[in-house]
mmCIF file with all atom_site columns, all heavy atoms in Angstrom:
data_model
loop_
_atom_site.group_PDB
_atom_site.id
_atom_site.type_symbol
_atom_site.label_atom_id
_atom_site.label_alt_id
_atom_site.label_comp_id
_atom_site.label_asym_id
_atom_site.label_entity_id
_atom_site.label_seq_id
_atom_site.pdbx_PDB_ins_code
_atom_site.Cartn_x
_atom_site.Cartn_y
_atom_site.Cartn_z
_atom_site.occupancy
_atom_site.B_iso_or_equiv
_atom_site.pdbx_formal_charge
_atom_site.auth_seq_id
_atom_site.auth_comp_id
_atom_site.auth_asym_id
_atom_site.auth_atom_id
_atom_site.pdbx_PDB_model_num
ATOM   1   N N   . TYR A 1 18 ? 42.619 120.758 159.067 1.00 0.00 ? 310 TYR A N   1
ATOM   2   C CA  . TYR A 1 18 ? 43.747 121.689 159.323 1.00 0.00 ? 310 TYR A CA  1
ATOM   3   C C   . TYR A 1 18 ? 43.154 123.089 159.186 1.00 0.00 ? 310 TYR A C   1
ATOM   4   O O   . TYR A 1 18 ? 42.984 123.571 158.028 1.00 0.00 ? 310 TYR A O   1
ATOM   5   C CB  . TYR A 1 18 ? 44.858 121.393 158.312 1.00 0.00 ? 310 TYR A CB  1
ATOM   6   C CG  . TYR A 1 18 ? 45.998 122.381 158.413 1.00 0.00 ? 310 TYR A CG  1
ATOM   7   C CD1 . TYR A 1 18 ? 46.877 122.308 159.474 1.00 0.00 ? 310 TYR A CD1 1
ATOM   8   C CD2 . TYR A 1 18 ? 46.202 123.355 157.434 1.00 0.00 ? 310 TYR A CD2 1
ATOM   9   C CE1 . TYR A 1 18 ? 47.942 123.242 159.604 1.00 0.00 ? 310 TYR A CE1 1
ATOM   10  C CE2 . TYR A 1 18 ? 47.254 124.248 157.538 1.00 0.00 ? 310 TYR A CE2 1
ATOM   11  C CZ  . TYR A 1 18 ? 48.117 124.209 158.609 1.00 0.00 ? 310 TYR A CZ  1
ATOM   12  O OH  . TYR A 1 18 ? 49.138 125.104 158.733 1.00 0.00 ? 310 TYR A OH  1
ATOM   13  N N   . ALA A 1 19 ? 42.807 123.712 160.266 1.00 0.00 ? 311 ALA A N   1
ATOM   14  C CA  . ALA A 1 19 ? 42.097 124.973 160.206 1.00 0.00 ? 311 ALA A CA  1
ATOM   15  C C   . ALA A 1 19 ? 42.625 125.993 161.212 1.00 0.00 ? 311 ALA A C   1
ATOM   16  O O   . ALA A 1 19 ? 41.894 126.483 162.094 1.00 0.00 ? 311 ALA A O   1
ATOM   17  C CB  . ALA A 1 19 ? 40.600 124.744 160.430 1.00 0.00 ? 311 ALA A CB  1
ATOM   18  N N   . SER A 1 22 ? 40.793 129.934 160.439 1.00 0.00 ? 314 SER A N   1
ATOM   19  C CA  . SER A 1 22 ? 39.373 130.240 160.767 1.00 0.00 ? 314 SER A CA  1
ATOM   20  C C   . SER A 1 22 ? 38.956 129.513 162.055 1.00 0.00 ? 314 SER A C   1
ATOM   21  O O   . SER A 1 22 ? 37.991 130.013 162.712 1.00 0.00 ? 314 SER A O   1
ATOM   22  C CB  . SER A 1 22 ? 38.466 129.781 159.644 1.00 0.00 ? 314 SER A CB  1
ATOM   23  O OG  . SER A 1 22 ? 38.296 128.321 159.651 1.00 0.00 ? 314 SER A OG  1
ATOM   24  N N   . TYR A 1 24 ? 37.395 126.875 162.016 1.00 0.00 ? 316 TYR A N   1
ATOM   25  C CA  . TYR A 1 24 ? 36.260 126.064 161.658 1.00 0.00 ? 316 TYR A CA  1
ATOM   26  C C   . TYR A 1 24 ? 36.771 124.729 161.089 1.00 0.00 ? 316 TYR A C   1
ATOM   27  O O   . TYR A 1 24 ? 37.394 124.689 160.051 1.00 0.00 ? 316 TYR A O   1
ATOM   28  C CB  . TYR A 1 24 ? 35.356 126.756 160.589 1.00 0.00 ? 316 TYR A CB  1
ATOM   29  C CG  . TYR A 1 24 ? 34.472 127.751 161.205 1.00 0.00 ? 316 TYR A CG  1
ATOM   30  C CD1 . TYR A 1 24 ? 34.807 129.136 161.228 1.00 0.00 ? 316 TYR A CD1 1
ATOM   31  C CD2 . TYR A 1 24 ? 33.250 127.344 161.758 1.00 0.00 ? 316 TYR A CD2 1
ATOM   32  C CE1 . TYR A 1 24 ? 33.980 130.045 161.843 1.00 0.00 ? 316 TYR A CE1 1
ATOM   33  C CE2 . TYR A 1 24 ? 32.416 128.275 162.352 1.00 0.00 ? 316 TYR A CE2 1
ATOM   34  C CZ  . TYR A 1 24 ? 32.765 129.598 162.369 1.00 0.00 ? 316 TYR A CZ  1
ATOM   35  O OH  . TYR A 1 24 ? 31.976 130.566 163.003 1.00 0.00 ? 316 TYR A OH  1
ATOM   36  N N   . VAL A 1 26 ? 35.921 121.160 159.408 1.00 0.00 ? 318 VAL A N   1
ATOM   37  C CA  . VAL A 1 26 ? 34.855 120.592 158.533 1.00 0.00 ? 318 VAL A CA  1
ATOM   38  C C   . VAL A 1 26 ? 35.235 119.189 158.153 1.00 0.00 ? 318 VAL A C   1
ATOM   39  O O   . VAL A 1 26 ? 36.444 118.921 157.855 1.00 0.00 ? 318 VAL A O   1
ATOM   40  C CB  . VAL A 1 26 ? 34.624 121.452 157.279 1.00 0.00 ? 318 VAL A CB  1
ATOM   41  C CG1 . VAL A 1 26 ? 33.405 120.991 156.518 1.00 0.00 ? 318 VAL A CG1 1
ATOM   42  C CG2 . VAL A 1 26 ? 34.494 122.958 157.687 1.00 0.00 ? 318 VAL A CG2 1
ATOM   43  N N   . CYS A 1 41 ? 38.707 116.485 154.797 1.00 0.00 ? 333 CYS A N   1
ATOM   44  C CA  . CYS A 1 41 ? 38.661 117.568 155.758 1.00 0.00 ? 333 CYS A CA  1
ATOM   45  C C   . CYS A 1 41 ? 39.077 118.854 155.067 1.00 0.00 ? 333 CYS A C   1
ATOM   46  O O   . CYS A 1 41 ? 39.629 118.821 153.995 1.00 0.00 ? 333 CYS A O   1
ATOM   47  C CB  . CYS A 1 41 ? 39.533 117.280 156.977 1.00 0.00 ? 333 CYS A CB  1
ATOM   48  S SG  . CYS A 1 41 ? 41.287 117.235 156.592 1.00 0.00 ? 333 CYS A SG  1
ATOM   49  N N   . ASN A 1 42 ? 38.756 119.983 155.675 1.00 0.00 ? 334 ASN A N   1
ATOM   50  C CA  . ASN A 1 42 ? 39.229 121.264 155.123 1.00 0.00 ? 334 ASN A CA  1
ATOM   51  C C   . ASN A 1 42 ? 40.734 121.424 155.437 1.00 0.00 ? 334 ASN A C   1
ATOM   52  O O   . ASN A 1 42 ? 41.220 121.019 156.496 1.00 0.00 ? 334 ASN A O   1
ATOM   53  C CB  . ASN A 1 42 ? 38.419 122.471 155.609 1.00 0.00 ? 334 ASN A CB  1
ATOM   54  C CG  . ASN A 1 42 ? 38.335 122.607 157.077 1.00 0.00 ? 334 ASN A CG  1
ATOM   55  O OD1 . ASN A 1 42 ? 38.349 121.605 157.828 1.00 0.00 ? 334 ASN A OD1 1
ATOM   56  N ND2 . ASN A 1 42 ? 38.239 123.822 157.550 1.00 0.00 ? 334 ASN A ND2 1
ATOM   57  N N   . ILE A 1 43 ? 41.424 121.971 154.457 1.00 0.00 ? 335 ILE A N   1
ATOM   58  C CA  . ILE A 1 43 ? 42.895 122.168 154.589 1.00 0.00 ? 335 ILE A CA  1
ATOM   59  C C   . ILE A 1 43 ? 43.149 123.636 154.295 1.00 0.00 ? 335 ILE A C   1
ATOM   60  O O   . ILE A 1 43 ? 43.060 124.055 153.086 1.00 0.00 ? 335 ILE A O   1
ATOM   61  C CB  . ILE A 1 43 ? 43.672 121.246 153.636 1.00 0.00 ? 335 ILE A CB  1
ATOM   62  C CG1 . ILE A 1 43 ? 43.272 119.775 153.847 1.00 0.00 ? 335 ILE A CG1 1
ATOM   63  C CG2 . ILE A 1 43 ? 45.158 121.456 153.787 1.00 0.00 ? 335 ILE A CG2 1
ATOM   64  C CD1 . ILE A 1 43 ? 43.796 118.821 152.785 1.00 0.00 ? 335 ILE A CD1 1
ATOM   65  N N   . GLU A 1 44 ? 43.378 124.432 155.339 1.00 0.00 ? 336 GLU A N   1
ATOM   66  C CA  . GLU A 1 44 ? 43.543 125.868 155.152 1.00 0.00 ? 336 GLU A CA  1
ATOM   67  C C   . GLU A 1 44 ? 45.004 126.205 154.755 1.00 0.00 ? 336 GLU A C   1
ATOM   68  O O   . GLU A 1 44 ? 45.884 125.346 154.774 1.00 0.00 ? 336 GLU A O   1
ATOM   69  C CB  . GLU A 1 44 ? 43.110 126.597 156.418 1.00 0.00 ? 336 GLU A CB  1
ATOM   70  C CG  . GLU A 1 44 ? 41.635 126.403 156.687 1.00 0.00 ? 336 GLU A CG  1
ATOM   71  C CD  . GLU A 1 44 ? 41.068 127.266 157.803 1.00 0.00 ? 336 GLU A CD  1
ATOM   72  O OE1 . GLU A 1 44 ? 41.867 127.822 158.570 1.00 0.00 ? 336 GLU A OE1 1
ATOM   73  O OE2 . GLU A 1 44 ? 39.819 127.367 157.883 1.00 0.00 ? 336 GLU A OE2 1
ATOM   74  N N   . THR A 1 51 ? 42.985 127.600 150.357 1.00 0.00 ? 343 THR A N   1
ATOM   75  C CA  . THR A 1 51 ? 42.231 126.688 151.217 1.00 0.00 ? 343 THR A CA  1
ATOM   76  C C   . THR A 1 51 ? 41.420 125.718 150.371 1.00 0.00 ? 343 THR A C   1
ATOM   77  O O   . THR A 1 51 ? 40.796 126.112 149.410 1.00 0.00 ? 343 THR A O   1
ATOM   78  C CB  . THR A 1 51 ? 41.344 127.445 152.214 1.00 0.00 ? 343 THR A CB  1
ATOM   79  O OG1 . THR A 1 51 ? 42.203 128.179 153.141 1.00 0.00 ? 343 THR A OG1 1
ATOM   80  C CG2 . THR A 1 51 ? 40.419 126.555 152.952 1.00 0.00 ? 343 THR A CG2 1
ATOM   81  N N   . ASN A 1 52 ? 41.420 124.446 150.809 1.00 0.00 ? 344 ASN A N   1
ATOM   82  C CA  . ASN A 1 52 ? 40.543 123.472 150.171 1.00 0.00 ? 344 ASN A CA  1
ATOM   83  C C   . ASN A 1 52 ? 39.442 122.996 151.126 1.00 0.00 ? 344 ASN A C   1
ATOM   84  O O   . ASN A 1 52 ? 39.762 122.656 152.294 1.00 0.00 ? 344 ASN A O   1
ATOM   85  C CB  . ASN A 1 52 ? 41.339 122.265 149.664 1.00 0.00 ? 344 ASN A CB  1
ATOM   86  C CG  . ASN A 1 52 ? 40.664 121.586 148.505 1.00 0.00 ? 344 ASN A CG  1
ATOM   87  O OD1 . ASN A 1 52 ? 40.373 122.199 147.492 1.00 0.00 ? 344 ASN A OD1 1
ATOM   88  N ND2 . ASN A 1 52 ? 40.357 120.268 148.659 1.00 0.00 ? 344 ASN A ND2 1
ATOM   89  N N   . CYS A 1 53 ? 38.208 123.027 150.667 1.00 0.00 ? 345 CYS A N   1
ATOM   90  C CA  . CYS A 1 53 ? 37.097 122.592 151.531 1.00 0.00 ? 345 CYS A CA  1
ATOM   91  C C   . CYS A 1 53 ? 37.102 121.062 151.733 1.00 0.00 ? 345 CYS A C   1
ATOM   92  O O   . CYS A 1 53 ? 37.617 120.334 150.901 1.00 0.00 ? 345 CYS A O   1
ATOM   93  C CB  . CYS A 1 53 ? 35.762 122.967 150.947 1.00 0.00 ? 345 CYS A CB  1
ATOM   94  S SG  . CYS A 1 53 ? 35.405 124.734 150.861 1.00 0.00 ? 345 CYS A SG  1
ATOM   95  N N   . ALA A 1 54 ? 36.451 120.648 152.810 1.00 0.00 ? 346 ALA A N   1
ATOM   96  C CA  . ALA A 1 54 ? 36.378 119.194 153.135 1.00 0.00 ? 346 ALA A CA  1
ATOM   97  C C   . ALA A 1 54 ? 35.740 118.383 152.017 1.00 0.00 ? 346 ALA A C   1
ATOM   98  O O   . ALA A 1 54 ? 36.214 117.306 151.674 1.00 0.00 ? 346 ALA A O   1
ATOM   99  C CB  . ALA A 1 54 ? 35.584 119.042 154.400 1.00 0.00 ? 346 ALA A CB  1
ATOM   100 N N   . GLU A 1 55 ? 34.667 118.922 151.438 1.00 0.00 ? 347 GLU A N   1
ATOM   101 C CA  . GLU A 1 55 ? 33.932 118.191 150.382 1.00 0.00 ? 347 GLU A CA  1
ATOM   102 C C   . GLU A 1 55 ? 34.820 117.984 149.175 1.00 0.00 ? 347 GLU A C   1
ATOM   103 O O   . GLU A 1 55 ? 34.833 116.872 148.570 1.00 0.00 ? 347 GLU A O   1
ATOM   104 C CB  . GLU A 1 55 ? 32.678 118.987 149.935 1.00 0.00 ? 347 GLU A CB  1
ATOM   105 C CG  . GLU A 1 55 ? 31.692 119.292 151.053 1.00 0.00 ? 347 GLU A CG  1
ATOM   106 C CD  . GLU A 1 55 ? 31.922 120.599 151.763 1.00 0.00 ? 347 GLU A CD  1
ATOM   107 O OE1 . GLU A 1 55 ? 33.115 120.930 152.012 1.00 0.00 ? 347 GLU A OE1 1
ATOM   108 O OE2 . GLU A 1 55 ? 30.955 121.278 152.057 1.00 0.00 ? 347 GLU A OE2 1
ATOM   109 N N   . ILE A 1 75 ? 28.238 115.901 155.465 1.00 0.00 ? 367 ILE A N   1
ATOM   110 C CA  . ILE A 1 75 ? 29.090 117.044 155.744 1.00 0.00 ? 367 ILE A CA  1
ATOM   111 C C   . ILE A 1 75 ? 28.797 117.524 157.148 1.00 0.00 ? 367 ILE A C   1
ATOM   112 O O   . ILE A 1 75 ? 27.636 117.722 157.560 1.00 0.00 ? 367 ILE A O   1
ATOM   113 C CB  . ILE A 1 75 ? 28.817 118.212 154.778 1.00 0.00 ? 367 ILE A CB  1
ATOM   114 C CG1 . ILE A 1 75 ? 28.916 117.709 153.273 1.00 0.00 ? 367 ILE A CG1 1
ATOM   115 C CG2 . ILE A 1 75 ? 29.754 119.356 155.015 1.00 0.00 ? 367 ILE A CG2 1
ATOM   116 C CD1 . ILE A 1 75 ? 28.235 118.660 152.333 1.00 0.00 ? 367 ILE A CD1 1
ATOM   117 N N   . PHE A 1 87 ? 26.181 122.739 158.241 1.00 0.00 ? 379 PHE A N   1
ATOM   118 C CA  . PHE A 1 87 ? 27.309 123.352 157.526 1.00 0.00 ? 379 PHE A CA  1
ATOM   119 C C   . PHE A 1 87 ? 27.103 123.088 156.020 1.00 0.00 ? 379 PHE A C   1
ATOM   120 O O   . PHE A 1 87 ? 27.707 122.201 155.475 1.00 0.00 ? 379 PHE A O   1
ATOM   121 C CB  . PHE A 1 87 ? 28.626 122.716 158.011 1.00 0.00 ? 379 PHE A CB  1
ATOM   122 C CG  . PHE A 1 87 ? 29.768 123.712 158.099 1.00 0.00 ? 379 PHE A CG  1
ATOM   123 C CD1 . PHE A 1 87 ? 29.958 124.501 159.250 1.00 0.00 ? 379 PHE A CD1 1
ATOM   124 C CD2 . PHE A 1 87 ? 30.605 123.900 157.012 1.00 0.00 ? 379 PHE A CD2 1
ATOM   125 C CE1 . PHE A 1 87 ? 31.020 125.395 159.336 1.00 0.00 ? 379 PHE A CE1 1
ATOM   126 C CE2 . PHE A 1 87 ? 31.669 124.820 157.124 1.00 0.00 ? 379 PHE A CE2 1
ATOM   127 C CZ  . PHE A 1 87 ? 31.848 125.577 158.261 1.00 0.00 ? 379 PHE A CZ  1
ATOM   128 N N   . PRO A 1 88 ? 26.239 123.843 155.409 1.00 0.00 ? 380 PRO A N   1
ATOM   129 C CA  . PRO A 1 88 ? 25.908 123.611 153.982 1.00 0.00 ? 380 PRO A CA  1
ATOM   130 C C   . PRO A 1 88 ? 27.128 123.820 153.104 1.00 0.00 ? 380 PRO A C   1
ATOM   131 O O   . PRO A 1 88 ? 27.967 124.689 153.392 1.00 0.00 ? 380 PRO A O   1
ATOM   132 C CB  . PRO A 1 88 ? 24.824 124.668 153.688 1.00 0.00 ? 380 PRO A CB  1
ATOM   133 C CG  . PRO A 1 88 ? 24.311 125.151 154.989 1.00 0.00 ? 380 PRO A CG  1
ATOM   134 C CD  . PRO A 1 88 ? 25.460 124.989 155.942 1.00 0.00 ? 380 PRO A CD  1
ATOM   135 N N   . PRO A 1 89 ? 27.253 123.080 152.026 1.00 0.00 ? 381 PRO A N   1
ATOM   136 C CA  . PRO A 1 89 ? 28.437 123.160 151.160 1.00 0.00 ? 381 PRO A CA  1
ATOM   137 C C   . PRO A 1 89 ? 28.466 124.522 150.426 1.00 0.00 ? 381 PRO A C   1
ATOM   138 O O   . PRO A 1 89 ? 27.414 125.032 150.023 1.00 0.00 ? 381 PRO A O   1
ATOM   139 C CB  . PRO A 1 89 ? 28.260 122.032 150.166 1.00 0.00 ? 381 PRO A CB  1
ATOM   140 C CG  . PRO A 1 89 ? 26.822 121.695 150.188 1.00 0.00 ? 381 PRO A CG  1
ATOM   141 C CD  . PRO A 1 89 ? 26.312 122.026 151.568 1.00 0.00 ? 381 PRO A CD  1
ATOM   142 N N   . CYS A 1 90 ? 29.685 125.058 150.283 1.00 0.00 ? 382 CYS A N   1
ATOM   143 C CA  . CYS A 1 90 ? 29.843 126.350 149.550 1.00 0.00 ? 382 CYS A CA  1
ATOM   144 C C   . CYS A 1 90 ? 29.539 126.147 148.091 1.00 0.00 ? 382 CYS A C   1
ATOM   145 O O   . CYS A 1 90 ? 29.410 125.065 147.565 1.00 0.00 ? 382 CYS A O   1
ATOM   146 C CB  . CYS A 1 90 ? 31.248 126.902 149.763 1.00 0.00 ? 382 CYS A CB  1
ATOM   147 S SG  . CYS A 1 90 ? 32.502 126.117 148.689 1.00 0.00 ? 382 CYS A SG  1
ATOM   148 N N   . CYS A 1 93 ? 32.036 123.989 146.031 1.00 0.00 ? 385 CYS A N   1
ATOM   149 C CA  . CYS A 1 93 ? 31.834 122.555 146.255 1.00 0.00 ? 385 CYS A CA  1
ATOM   150 C C   . CYS A 1 93 ? 30.593 122.035 145.556 1.00 0.00 ? 385 CYS A C   1
ATOM   151 O O   . CYS A 1 93 ? 30.561 120.925 145.036 1.00 0.00 ? 385 CYS A O   1
ATOM   152 C CB  . CYS A 1 93 ? 31.792 122.272 147.781 1.00 0.00 ? 385 CYS A CB  1
ATOM   153 S SG  . CYS A 1 93 ? 33.397 122.498 148.539 1.00 0.00 ? 385 CYS A SG  1
HETATM 154 N N1  . LIG B 2 .  ? 34.630 125.106 154.376 1.00 0.00 ? 148 LIG B N1  1
HETATM 155 C C1  . LIG B 2 .  ? 34.542 123.795 154.007 1.00 0.00 ? 148 LIG B C1  1
HETATM 156 O O1  . LIG B 2 .  ? 35.359 122.938 154.297 1.00 0.00 ? 148 LIG B O1  1
HETATM 157 N N2  . LIG B 2 .  ? 33.416 123.450 153.241 1.00 0.00 ? 148 LIG B N2  1
HETATM 158 C C2  . LIG B 2 .  ? 32.462 124.319 152.833 1.00 0.00 ? 148 LIG B C2  1
HETATM 159 O O2  . LIG B 2 .  ? 31.587 123.960 152.021 1.00 0.00 ? 148 LIG B O2  1
HETATM 160 C C3  . LIG B 2 .  ? 32.458 125.658 153.331 1.00 0.00 ? 148 LIG B C3  1
HETATM 161 C C4  . LIG B 2 .  ? 33.717 126.120 153.993 1.00 0.00 ? 148 LIG B C4  1
HETATM 162 C C5  . LIG B 2 .  ? 35.790 125.467 155.169 1.00 0.00 ? 148 LIG B C5  1
HETATM 163 C C6  . LIG B 2 .  ? 36.775 126.391 154.479 1.00 0.00 ? 148 LIG B C6  1
HETATM 164 C C7  . LIG B 2 .  ? 37.460 127.071 155.622 1.00 0.00 ? 148 LIG B C7  1
HETATM 165 O O3  . LIG B 2 .  ? 38.559 126.279 156.026 1.00 0.00 ? 148 LIG B O3  1
HETATM 166 C C8  . LIG B 2 .  ? 36.413 127.063 156.756 1.00 0.00 ? 148 LIG B C8  1
HETATM 167 O O4  . LIG B 2 .  ? 35.402 126.151 156.316 1.00 0.00 ? 148 LIG B O4  1
HETATM 168 C C9  . LIG B 2 .  ? 35.778 128.409 157.019 1.00 0.00 ? 148 LIG B C9  1
HETATM 169 O O5  . LIG B 2 .  ? 35.299 128.984 155.868 1.00 0.00 ? 148 LIG B O5  1
#
Side-chain angles (χ1 to χ4, degrees):
Y310 175 73
S314 77
Y316 280 95
V318 188
C333 64
N334 56 329
I335 304 168
E336 296 189 345
T343 292
N344 205 56
C345 291
E347 300 91 319
I367 306 160
F379 218 87
C382 79
C385 289

